[in-house]
Amino acid sequence: MADFKYEIVEEIGVLSENAKGWRKELNKISWNGAEPKYDIRDWAPEREKMGKGVTLTEEEALKLKELL
């Protein structure tokens, strides 16, 4: 598996938390030094692991807001 880097540039909020402490979070994350995107994914309690997620550009996030 290829190495990748990420930086959480803004912690926006927690959507939910399960019984094992994993939290579904909305953050702005820069992946591999790219422009930060909105990111929704599950994180282990100390962020030592992450689950699969969805990333959205600013335009996609605004469209999602409109659709909701």
Side-chain angles (χ1 to χ4, degrees), residues 2-15:
D3 288 336
F4 62 93
K5 296 179 183 179
Y6 67 92
E7 176 187 1
I8 299 174
V9 296
E10 182 181 354
E11 296 179 9
I12 299 171
V14 176
L15 301 173

Side-chain angles (χ1 to χ4, degrees), residues 7-10 12 26-30 36-38 58:
E7 176 187 1
I8 299 174
V9 296
E10 182 181 354
I12 299 171
L26 172 62
N27 298 303
K28 279 192 99 170
I29 298 181
S30 171
K37 294 184 179 182
Y38 290 96
E58 185 79 29

Side-chain angles (χ1 to χ4, degrees), residues 36-58:
K37 294 184 179 182
Y38 290 96
D39 183 88
I40 301 171
R41 76 181 56 245
D42 291 329
W43 292 90
E46 301 298 321
R47 288 200 177 129
E48 68 274 13
K49 294 182 183 178
M50 67 176 83
K52 291 184 180 180
V54 174
T55 58
L56 303 168
T57 63
E58 185 79 29

